[in-house]
Amino acid sequence: MLVLAMRSIRQRPGRFLATLLAAFLGAAIVMTFNSLHDTAGQPGVDATSADTLTVAASVVGGYGTLLVFFAVASTLTVNVRQRTAELELLRCSGATPAQIRRMVVGEAVAVALLGAASAIGPAVLGGRVLLGIFHDSGQVSESVEHSFGPVALMTGIGITLLAAAGAAFLAVRRATRGTARHGGARTFLAYAALAAGALSVCATFAFSATDEALMAPPAYGAILLSVGCALLAPRLLTGVLDRLPLSGARGWLAVRNLRERAGQLAGILMSLTLFTAVSTATLTMQAVESDALAASGAVKSVDAKNLETLNFTVVGIIVVFVCVMLVNSLYAATIYRGREFGQQRLAGATPDQVLGTVGVEALILTLTGLAFGALTALAGIVPFTMVRTDGVLSGEVYGIGATVAAVAAATTLGTSLITARRALRTPAVRAVAVAS
């Protein structure tokens, strides 16, 4: 089966581009920040610089690990679902489910290893740039030189391979069962994340307004709540679709398509929810903190500067990474529908009508992700604002939320419509014949 996996990659490399890009970006992020652990561990690094580098590596490295798993899982899920007919043919030819799983996992590990290896060079450059930012802000001594060592290399490659193997195993296991069943482990993890997030948010009220660690509980709470919603994405999307009062052929068809593809679109909804929650919560709480410090006339401490740098760095990484993964996942999910679009056109639909349906689907998906992301973000923002300023909701949240929503909407709608328009360039008869 390993030989068959390598042959499949060589024969149709295009189907693995999304997974390769996810592995490359994820490994680059993890190795970039974990190289700060190698840098902090060098001889002669002062204690303040070492603490700054270690905290940055630990916090953002944790975010990076989470993003890698979701990104690789979403692209592999789309890949496996697109190959349902091929996998079924292998089963009919005598292959056992275990053999098919080994083949798909072997493909995923090989592609992930290539992506992780390709990310080493960019990670070295990224680590140097990141260290330069800490040098310029005065948080790390100018004498500290960047080091890319075993911690960065082992964590980057190890996490990427583990995420790829685990995600591929779960995706193909669901596909080879032949029935759509919700995973018990996924549901347990989702409710565990929601419970832990709620406890973390409630812990905010145990701190005082001047505690340096005040931002940690609501920030982590919002993240855990968004992770819980992301894990429940298929159920949440189905629940939203059941309550939509859409009418007309375009709306009915969009809801029907989304309901049938809820499992496949879960990865996209995950990305939207995490992007909205983490970006909105982190930027708003940082804005509230900066305004409170300015109002009191206090000078930012080294720890406060470190936290601000981390917050903006985390959000910047999430924005770039999630936007790329949204484009990646949406492209893979939409370009695969060429046969479906061809069938609709042969049945009498015009290209504009097909594009309109895709637009409605993307809009529903975007609004759903933004709604759950905003709710989980507010769950962290409101307690933090109440403790820090005695208010309930800061005015900054509206501008930040609108910006985050605009970026998410532009990415989702733009990618879906552009990719669908490209797929519609193929004549309907040819699209149906080629896909068959």
Side-chain angles (χ1 to χ4, degrees):
M1 280 296 166
L2 291 177
V3 174
L4 187 59
M6 298 307 297
R7 182 182 300 173
S8 176
I9 295 173
R10 287 196 299 269
Q11 290 178 346
R12 300 187 65 181
R15 67 162 54 151
F16 300 101
L17 287 179
T19 304
L20 179 64
L21 180 58
F24 171 80
L25 291 173
I29 290 175
V30 172
M31 286 191 286
T32 293
F33 281 92
N34 280 327
S35 69
L36 299 183
H37 280 301
D38 294 308
T39 303
Q42 293 182 102
V45 177
D46 61 280
T48 301
S49 298
D51 288 343
T52 299
L53 294 170
T54 301
V55 170
S58 301
V59 173
V60 187
Y63 281 111
T65 301
L66 182 65
L67 290 172
V68 169
F69 178 80
F70 277 114
V72 175
S74 64
T75 54
L76 281 171
T77 299
V78 172
N79 179 284
V80 172
R81 286 180 182 273
Q82 291 173 352
R83 302 170 61 189
T84 302
E86 174 190 336
L87 298 179
E88 185 62 28
L89 180 60
L90 287 173
R91 290 181 63 186
C92 293
S93 301
T96 65
Q99 290 174 324
I100 295 174
R101 283 195 292 269
R102 286 198 296 270
M103 182 193 74
V104 175
V105 171
E107 293 172 354
V109 169
V111 173
L113 182 59
L114 178 60
S118 303
I120 294 175
V124 173
L125 295 177
R128 291 175 180 172
V129 171
L130 190 59
L131 182 60
I133 294 174
F134 284 111
H135 283 161
D136 294 339
S137 64
Q139 296 165 257
V140 174
S141 173
E142 291 284 350
S143 62
V144 177
E145 296 182 355
H146 180 256
S147 174
F148 188 90
V151 175
L153 195 61
M154 293 176 64
T155 54
I157 295 178
I159 289 170
T160 305
L161 294 182
L162 183 62
F169 177 81
L170 294 176
V172 75
R173 185 165 178 248
R174 287 193 296 266
T176 53
R177 278 176 176 175
T179 57
R181 299 191 326 197
H182 292 292
R186 182 187 183 122
T187 302
F188 172 78
L189 290 174
Y191 286 116
L194 291 174
L199 290 174
S200 183
V201 166
C202 293
T204 306
F205 296 101
F207 291 79
S208 66
T210 56
D211 282 334
E212 291 184 351
L214 173 62
M215 197 181 296
Y220 282 115
I223 293 169
L224 288 170
L225 290 173
S226 65
V227 169
C229 288
L231 290 171
L232 294 174
R235 296 185 183 183
L236 295 177
L237 181 58
T238 302
V240 170
L241 294 174
D242 290 340
R243 292 165 177 79
L244 280 180
L246 289 180
S247 59
R250 191 171 291 178
W252 178 86
L253 186 58
V255 171
R256 177 180 175 277
N257 290 340
L258 287 174
R259 184 176 285 111
E260 289 184 351
R261 300 166 58 232
Q264 179 179 336
L265 297 172
I268 298 170
L269 192 56
M270 284 180 184
S271 299
L272 279 169
T273 303
L274 289 170
F275 167 68
T276 304
V278 177
S279 300
T280 305
T282 305
L283 290 176
T284 301
M285 285 189 280
Q286 183 58 57
V288 170
E289 176 66 22
S290 297
D291 289 346
L293 284 174
S296 65
V299 179
K300 288 184 179 179
S301 64
V302 174
D303 290 336
K305 290 181 179 180
N306 289 345
L307 182 60
E308 185 175 18
T309 302
L310 276 176
N311 285 337
F312 288 127
T313 302
V314 167
V315 172
I317 288 172
I318 290 173
V319 167
V320 174
F321 187 82
V322 175
C323 281
V324 171
M325 292 319 305
L326 272 176
V327 172
N328 199 18
S329 299
L330 282 167
Y331 177 83
T334 306
I335 202 68
Y336 171 70
R337 301 173 66 188
R339 184 171 186 266
E340 175 190 335
F341 296 157
Q343 290 174 330
Q344 292 176 5
R345 292 160 65 190
L346 290 177
T350 65
D352 287 342
Q353 289 174 326
V354 176
L355 277 178
T357 302
V358 172
V360 175
E361 294 174 12
L363 181 61
I364 294 172
L365 196 63
T366 301
L367 293 178
T368 303
L370 290 176
F372 287 110
L375 287 175
T376 54
L378 288 174
I381 292 171
V382 171
F384 176 80
T385 306
M386 291 176 66
V387 174
R388 190 69 178 90
T389 66
D390 294 328
V392 176
L393 197 61
S394 171
E396 286 89 345
V397 70
Y398 302 107
I400 293 172
T403 302
V404 171
V407 172
T411 303
T412 308
L413 291 170
T415 304
S416 298
L417 293 175
I418 291 172
T419 308
R421 183 177 291 276
R422 178 182 174 184
L424 288 170
R425 292 176 184 172
T426 305
V429 174
R430 182 183 174 189
V432 174
V434 171
S436 300

